[in-house]
Amino acid sequence: MAEEAAVRAQAEAVRRLKQDKADPDEIAKEVTKLLEMKARLGGDEGKHKFVLKTPKGTRDYSPKQMAIRERVFNAIITCFKRHGAEVIDTPVFELKETLTGKYGEDSKLIYDLKDQGGELLSLRYDLTVPFARYLAMNKITNIKRYHIAKVYRRDNPAMTRGRYREFYQCVNDRRILDGMFAVCGVPDSKFRTICSTVDKLDKMPWEEVRSEMVGEKGLSPEAADRIGEYVQLHGGLDLIERLLQDPKLSQNKLAKEGLGDMKLLFEYLTLFGITGKVSFDLSLARGLDYYTGVIYEAVLLQQENDHVEDPVSVGSVAGGGRYDGLVGMFDPKGRKVPCVGVSIGIERIFSILEQRVEASEEKIRTTETQVLVASAQKKLLEERLKLISELWDAGVKAEVLYKKNPKLLNQLQYCEDTGIPLVAIVGEQELKDGVVKLRVVATREEVNVRRESLVEEIRMRTSRP
Amino acid sequence: MAEEAAVRAQAEAVRRLKQDKADPDEIAKEVTKLLEMKARLGGDEGKHKFVLKTPKGTRDYSPKQMAIRERVFNAIITCFKRHGAEVIDTPVFELKETLTGKYGEDSKLIYDLKDQGGELLSLRYDLTVPFARYLAMNKITNIKRYHIAKVYRRDNPAMTRGRYREFYQCVNDRRILDGMFAVCGVPDSKFRTICSTVDKLDKMPWEEVRSEMVGEKGLSPEAADRIGEYVQLHGGLDLIERLLQDPKLSQNKLAKEGLGDMKLLFEYLTLFGITGKVSFDLSLARGLDYYTGVIYEAVLLQQENDHVEDPVSVGSVAGGGRYDGLVGMFDPKGRKVPCVGVSIGIERIFSILEQRVEASEEKIRTTETQVLVASAQKKLLEERLKLISELWDAGVKAEVLYKKNPKLLNQLQYCEDTGIPLVAIVGEQELKDGVVKLRVVATREEVNVRRESLVEEIRMRTSRP
């Protein structure tokens, strides 16, 4: 930067004046000038102190990473569209009070905007609460929507690395949990907070969860032990049947309702042929306050050596459930709209796919360019621009190097680097003959194509089989 | 809400006690109870005071609006891909200091996040500064990228409505402007602020712009008048040639450089055959500080009756320019990376397209569902689920009504409403015969298709010609 250079020059001038034992007044004058210059630059010694980074917990996506992310998005969007879902969008921030009282203990992780006059705003914490606000505002009672957007949480992001083998889903029901809490002797007022503690079972062993219940949350040791017996259960239809016979649970209205619906769910899973992928798991709790019925998570199992038997779970990549009360919280008359949904953690799936791509050494293209317009001789910039203009107008994806007289070798190398499959070469002779030389980068094959057939030839050679 | 009903009942009880002239102590007791109940509800008279809305200046997109927005995106993305662009993404917020000192007078419109501990953050104001930060951080000197994302400005959003005829582009160069300011007698220190004032010429007449220059910005009336002569000029190559001969401008190094590059640009525009769509306009200034060379805007012209000659401009839908200094502001050694870009205002283009769609009464589909799996008789939920499961597994986009025993008429009506072209009907007889009845919604034609051929039949009938 020019200003920094000026400061350095001034510092050098001062040093020389001192060295030459110049007039003290003159030295003082030049030192003052130096200090003023530094002050203007705003840093000591004119050093650039600014830290060049993205905010903590955020990241950029490079073109290669975006190409991988697009694959993840496409797989997900294709699935939603296959099931007839519509798409909506909502603003990245909401009125602060829209988010108030919806997330329980997680509310402290909400990003607020600074009060700069006007409304008090917060960044959205999930897509569920804005969706419920949207339904209530537009009085919609029937919609199947998907929504792909970023959400913001003031969390300490920890990215688990590792190799992953497969997904499985675990399922539970808030009513079964609440019924279980009731029959275990948890006071009503402690249901939500004990539920938050149960939710930590995927990250800490039962002993720690138990001691949080008894120590921090003030639950009786007996109640905690009774919970401990239930939350270690997991299975399928057989477990549901067994719990429906459980002398305590079967007496609880909520638990019975939840178990009845869980049974119906497993009947549908049987119809779809996917019971093997789903486990009914009494330890699944989900942290958020707003769930009212079935809850579920998709969990990744770590890739293991064949010797090891039980694959280790490395964490949830998707989760959701039923939230029948949320829209009613926004409706002036409290009208309820039953809702059920799932949230997919794109970031995690993305980083798994990224690792896989890296491991496979697959070459990822970041553009879709079909042809590079090139020339072997000099002074053909205008001809290159004319030709590429024709191709663009015909909808062909084409590039041209921006140099006036690029070397042919550099133009071919650019194709190798970026995966462009074809080169259209113009030269004096081709222009005279009314042809373009089309080169296939992979095979180095070259053919002369009549200029008027070029578009069709390129299309033919780049259409997917 | 149950609590509100209880408050109303209590208020009624108090009213009756007063009416009956009951024991004052008893009245006081019940009034206290009423006040407590109201306090718990947190509002006067138990009214729900929460305002159900999106933050000022933001909006939701419904499925239909999203379908239109996707069209706009697709047109833009297709164009970028045709020219070989890569895509990147950056976080929605940046460190506050990343944005500091980049936008001149517009900086006051930046949204800051609340200081909740940790880093000071701001919502991105454009995609250009985050892009420059990305380039400097990753030491990238050569990339052609596009980036589709929302940006945030604490503006008073005004949405011009109207009917629009066509786009045109106007072009200028910051160096020509700076050269012009110099030869008109504007002091160096006032270049940027006078430039901001010139930028208002599309919204206010020259007289007002002049009075802001002289009044607010303290420019001499003579300098303002000299600027006034220049900024009313617009044209093409002829104007560039004339200005290159201008006795004052041609003596200014910056202006000469700018005019030279403008001439080259118009030579390229001639090659591309689009000089008719581009006007060299000396009033174009662009508000942002960071431009260093060519600047341009795409402007919409209002649809007029054929009688009116000059179409009225209704505003800019895209704009950009060259910003060769921005990346250097982030680089610790101040290394410059020349950049040039354009920003497209999706919202405005979207609302124009939305109006056009409304006017045309075109029916917009919000899903891509190919077939509805239906039944004419009762007790066939399981069979419907089995069939749709087969279709989904084969990649067919299919829906089923969620009712246990929906009426056939309602199922057909659903297809009419949502534009689903086909219905696959299962009944006792079809199940016995191993067929599915396929109905074409538009023509009411029905054919029996063997179950094993159903997927292919649906594909054949829904593939685009």
Side-chain angles (χ1 to χ4, degrees):
Chain A
M1 286 160 90
E3 285 165 356
E4 286 182 17
V7 170
R8 281 195 299 272
Q10 179 68 16
E12 173 64 15
V14 169
R15 199 190 58 77
R16 253 182 291 120
L17 285 173
K18 286 180 180 172
Q19 189 183 332
D20 299 344
K21 297 194 166 59
D23 172 16
D25 277 355
E26 197 188 343
I27 294 180
K29 200 183 109 198
E30 295 303 320
V31 166
T32 307
K33 201 171 153 192
L34 174 61
L35 290 175
E36 280 170 358
M37 288 169 83
K38 282 186 182 176
R40 268 202 302 280
L41 258 176
D44 46 350
E45 294 303 320
K47 247 186 214 154
H48 200 102
K49 286 174 71 188
F50 175 71
V51 183
L52 199 59
K53 64 186 282 294
T54 62
K56 197 178 156 194
T58 69
R59 58 172 295 174
D60 295 320
Y61 281 82
S62 72
K64 193 176 154 190
Q65 290 162 333
M66 284 299 281
I68 297 169
R69 203 176 83 173
E70 297 281 304
R71 281 192 201 176
V72 179
F73 280 164
N74 282 340
I76 292 169
I77 293 171
T78 303
C79 183
F80 279 122
K81 286 191 173 169
R82 193 159 64 233
H83 293 78
E86 304 178 298
V87 60
I88 69 158
D89 194 22
T90 65
V92 78
F93 42 67
E94 294 277 345
L95 298 182
K96 186 175 162 58
E97 57 177 338
T98 298
L99 307 190
T100 302
K102 308 297 188 302
Y103 299 106
E105 298 183 0
D106 283 5
S107 294
K108 60 182 184 294
L109 301 179
I110 294 174
Y111 275 105
D112 291 330
L113 268 72
K114 192 168 153 186
D115 183 0
Q116 294 171 295
E119 299 163 332
L120 290 180
L121 307 173
S122 301
L123 295 188
R124 61 183 163 208
Y125 184 79
D126 62 9
L127 300 178
T128 309
V129 169
F131 178 52
R133 192 265 308 145
Y134 173 81
L135 294 184
M137 225 174 105
N138 296 285
K139 300 193 172 50
I140 294 168
T141 55
N142 205 334
I143 185 174
K144 182 163 53 186
R145 79 87 171 84
Y146 68 95
H147 188 180
I148 296 184
K150 294 177 184 174
V151 298
Y152 299 91
R153 303 180 177 194
R154 295 179 47 253
D155 222 337
N156 277 324
M159 183 54 78
T160 319
R161 289 258 161 193
R163 294 168 60 212
Y164 307 97
R165 199 169 61 175
E166 58 166 353
F167 296 82
Y168 78 89
Q169 266 126 79
C170 41
V171 193
N172 198 359
D173 192 297
R174 269 287 165 89
R175 290 166 298 174
I176 301 176
L177 278 167
D178 285 353
M180 176 184 89
F181 293 146
V183 304
C184 291
V186 179
D188 282 18
S189 61
K190 288 202 160 75
F191 276 18
R192 287 281 79 82
T193 186
I194 292 299
C195 194
S196 295
T197 306
V198 167
D199 190 47
K200 297 179 182 168
L201 265 174
D202 58 338
K203 282 166 208 138
M204 46 169 91
W206 165 247
E207 287 67 33
E208 283 179 45
V209 169
R210 184 186 180 280
S211 88
E212 181 175 315
M213 285 180 180
V214 177
E216 278 180 49
K217 308 279 168 97
L219 191 66
S220 75
E222 298 74 32
D225 289 338
R226 271 178 240 130
I227 292 173
E229 277 170 41
Y230 282 115
V231 295
Q232 284 166 49
L233 301 174
H234 53 93
L237 260 175
D238 51 335
L239 176 60
I240 300 169
E241 296 288 3
R242 188 144 58 88
L243 290 174
L244 277 169
Q245 306 302 323
D246 183 283
K248 283 179 290 178
L249 266 189
S250 62
Q251 297 308 307
N252 181 283
K253 189 170 163 285
L254 278 176
K256 221 173 134 190
E257 264 181 42
L259 287 166
D261 282 359
M262 189 62 73
K263 194 176 160 186
L264 184 63
L265 174 63
F266 269 80
E267 283 163 14
Y268 290 152
L269 295 179
T270 309
L271 276 176
F272 290 141
I274 50 171
T275 41
K277 293 187 188 275
V278 182
S279 161
F280 167 43
D281 187 333
L282 274 98
S283 75
L284 182 73
R286 307 281 305 150
L288 296 178
D289 258 18
Y290 50 58
Y291 293 117
T292 54
V294 66
I295 46 178
Y296 34 81
E297 276 184 11
V299 179
L300 274 176
L301 303 183
Q302 192 146 28
Q303 176 97 45
E304 292 288 335
N305 298 332
D306 289 337
H307 313 294
V308 185
E309 268 190 14
D310 274 339
V312 184
S313 157
V314 290
S316 154
V317 291
R322 178 166 283 282
Y323 48 104
D324 290 350
L326 197 54
V327 178
M329 290 174 77
F330 290 115
D331 189 280
K333 293 183 182 162
R335 279 170 297 217
K336 282 192 172 181
V337 178
C339 295
V340 67
V342 63
S343 165
I344 300 172
I346 301 282
E347 312 293 328
R348 195 150 215 177
I349 294 174
F350 162 77
S351 53
I352 292 157
L353 201 64
E354 193 183 23
Q355 288 167 53
R356 210 177 274 174
V357 166
E358 270 167 35
S360 77
E361 291 173 24
E362 181 194 344
K363 212 174 166 187
I364 300 272
R365 283 201 68 182
T366 57
T367 68
E368 296 178 9
T369 308
Q370 297 165 292
V371 60
L372 182 81
V373 173
S375 60
Q377 298 132 325
K378 292 190 173 183
K379 297 194 183 168
L380 287 170
L381 174 62
E382 291 203 1
E383 291 300 336
R384 283 191 288 139
L385 291 183
K386 265 190 215 165
L387 179 56
I388 202 167
S389 179
E390 285 173 32
L391 294 178
W392 282 336
D393 288 347
V396 173
K397 294 168 193 152
E399 282 184 75
V400 65
L401 291 203
Y402 297 144
K403 286 199 166 181
K404 220 169 191 172
N405 296 308
K407 287 181 183 146
L408 185 62
L409 202 64
N410 291 346
Q411 296 174 86
L412 296 178
Q413 188 59 47
Y414 182 77
C415 293
E416 296 274 3
D417 293 345
T418 60
I420 299 176
L422 298 171
V423 194
I425 304 170
V426 282
E428 299 292 354
Q429 193 56 47
E430 285 84 6
L431 286 170
K432 256 183 229 152
D433 298 346
V435 297
V436 172
K437 188 177 281 171
L438 196 63
R439 179 184 169 113
V440 181
V441 176
T443 62
R444 300 178 183 190
E445 173 202 354
E446 289 187 348
V447 284
N448 278 340
V449 179
R450 295 218 51 81
R451 185 131 175 175
E452 58 271 23
S453 317
L454 182 62
V455 168
E456 188 164 354
E457 186 72 21
I458 292 169
R459 281 216 185 108
M460 201 260 293
R461 284 173 181 269
T462 53
S463 69
R464 301 245 168 98
Chain B
M1 286 160 86
E3 286 165 357
E4 286 180 20
V7 170
R8 279 195 300 273
Q10 180 68 16
E12 173 64 13
V14 169
R15 199 190 59 75
R16 256 183 287 120
L17 286 173
K18 285 180 180 170
Q19 189 183 333
D20 298 344
K21 299 194 163 60
D23 172 17
D25 278 352
E26 198 188 341
I27 295 179
K29 200 183 109 198
E30 295 303 321
V31 166
T32 307
K33 201 170 152 193
L34 175 62
L35 290 175
E36 279 169 0
M37 288 168 82
K38 282 186 182 175
R40 267 202 304 279
L41 258 176
D44 46 349
E45 296 303 318
K47 249 184 214 155
H48 200 103
K49 286 174 73 186
F50 176 71
V51 183
L52 199 60
K53 65 186 280 294
T54 62
K56 198 178 157 192
T58 69
R59 59 172 293 176
D60 296 319
Y61 281 82
S62 72
K64 193 177 154 189
Q65 289 163 333
M66 284 299 281
I68 296 169
R69 203 175 84 174
E70 297 282 304
R71 280 192 202 175
V72 178
F73 280 164
N74 283 339
I76 293 169
I77 292 171
T78 302
C79 182
F80 280 122
K81 286 190 173 169
R82 193 157 65 233
H83 293 78
E86 303 178 299
V87 59
I88 69 158
D89 194 22
T90 65
V92 79
F93 43 68
E94 294 278 345
L95 298 182
K96 186 175 162 61
E97 58 177 339
T98 298
L99 307 190
T100 302
K102 309 296 188 302
Y103 299 107
E105 298 184 0
D106 284 4
S107 293
K108 61 182 182 296
L109 301 180
I110 294 174
Y111 275 105
D112 291 331
L113 267 70
K114 191 169 153 185
D115 183 359
Q116 295 170 294
E119 299 164 333
L120 290 181
L121 307 172
S122 300
L123 295 188
R124 61 184 164 207
Y125 184 79
D126 63 8
L127 300 178
T128 308
V129 170
F131 178 52
R133 191 264 309 144
Y134 173 83
L135 294 183
M137 224 174 107
N138 297 285
K139 299 191 172 50
I140 295 167
T141 55
N142 204 335
I143 185 173
K144 182 163 54 185
R145 80 85 171 86
Y146 68 95
H147 187 180
I148 296 184
K150 294 177 182 172
V151 299
Y152 299 92
R153 301 180 178 196
R154 294 178 49 251
D155 222 337
N156 278 323
M159 182 54 78
T160 317
R161 290 258 160 191
R163 294 168 60 212
Y164 306 99
R165 199 168 62 175
E166 58 168 352
F167 297 81
Y168 78 88
Q169 265 125 80
C170 41
V171 193
N172 199 358
D173 192 298
R174 270 286 165 91
R175 290 165 299 174
I176 301 177
L177 277 167
D178 285 353
M180 176 184 89
F181 293 145
V183 304
C184 291
V186 179
D188 282 17
S189 61
K190 288 202 159 73
F191 276 18
R192 286 282 79 82
T193 186
I194 292 298
C195 194
S196 295
T197 305
V198 167
D199 190 47
K200 298 179 181 168
L201 265 174
D202 58 340
K203 282 165 207 139
M204 47 170 92
W206 166 249
E207 287 67 31
E208 284 178 44
V209 169
R210 184 187 181 281
S211 88
E212 180 175 315
M213 284 180 179
V214 177
E216 279 178 48
K217 308 277 169 98
L219 192 67
S220 74
E222 299 73 32
D225 290 337
R226 271 179 239 129
I227 292 172
E229 277 170 39
Y230 282 115
V231 294
Q232 284 167 49
L233 302 174
H234 53 94
L237 261 175
D238 52 335
L239 176 60
I240 301 169
E241 297 288 4
R242 187 144 58 88
L243 291 175
L244 277 168
Q245 307 302 324
D246 182 282
K248 284 178 291 178
L249 265 190
S250 62
Q251 296 310 306
N252 180 283
K253 188 170 163 287
L254 277 176
K256 221 175 138 191
E257 263 181 43
L259 287 165
D261 281 359
M262 189 64 72
K263 193 176 162 187
L264 184 61
L265 174 64
F266 268 80
E267 283 163 14
Y268 291 152
L269 295 179
T270 309
L271 277 178
F272 291 141
I274 49 171
T275 39
K277 293 186 188 276
V278 183
S279 160
F280 168 43
D281 186 333
L282 275 99
S283 75
L284 181 73
R286 307 280 306 149
L288 296 178
D289 257 20
Y290 49 59
Y291 293 117
T292 53
V294 66
I295 47 178
Y296 35 81
E297 276 184 10
V299 179
L300 274 177
L301 303 183
Q302 192 147 28
Q303 175 93 45
E304 292 287 338
N305 298 333
D306 289 335
H307 314 292
V308 185
E309 267 188 17
D310 274 340
V312 184
S313 156
V314 290
S316 154
V317 291
R322 178 165 283 281
Y323 50 102
D324 290 351
L326 197 53
V327 178
M329 289 173 79
F330 290 114
D331 189 279
K333 293 182 183 161
R335 278 171 296 216
K336 282 194 173 182
V337 178
C339 294
V340 67
V342 63
S343 166
I344 301 172
I346 301 282
E347 312 292 331
R348 194 151 215 175
I349 294 174
F350 163 77
S351 53
I352 292 157
L353 201 63
E354 193 184 22
Q355 288 166 53
R356 211 176 272 175
V357 166
E358 270 167 34
S360 76
E361 290 175 27
E362 180 194 348
K363 213 176 165 184
I364 301 271
R365 282 200 69 182
T366 56
T367 68
E368 296 178 10
T369 308
Q370 297 164 292
V371 60
L372 182 79
V373 173
S375 60
Q377 298 131 323
K378 292 191 173 183
K379 296 194 182 167
L380 287 169
L381 175 61
E382 292 203 358
E383 291 300 335
R384 283 191 288 140
L385 291 183
K386 265 190 215 163
L387 179 57
I388 202 169
S389 179
E390 285 173 32
L391 294 177
W392 281 337
D393 288 348
V396 172
K397 293 168 193 152
E399 282 185 75
V400 64
L401 290 204
Y402 297 145
K403 287 198 167 181
K404 220 168 191 172
N405 296 308
K407 288 183 183 144
L408 185 62
L409 202 66
N410 291 346
Q411 295 174 86
L412 296 178
Q413 188 59 47
Y414 182 78
C415 292
E416 297 274 3
D417 293 345
T418 60
I420 299 175
L422 298 172
V423 194
I425 304 170
V426 281
E428 298 291 353
Q429 194 56 48
E430 286 82 7
L431 287 169
K432 256 182 229 155
D433 299 347
V435 298
V436 172
K437 189 177 279 170
L438 196 64
R439 180 186 170 112
V440 181
V441 176
T443 62
R444 300 178 183 190
E445 172 202 355
E446 289 186 348
V447 283
N448 279 341
V449 179
R450 294 218 53 79
R451 186 130 171 177
E452 58 271 23
S453 317
L454 183 61
V455 169
E456 189 165 350
E457 185 71 24
I458 292 169
R459 282 219 184 103
M460 200 259 292
R461 285 172 180 270
T462 53
S463 69
R464 301 244 169 98

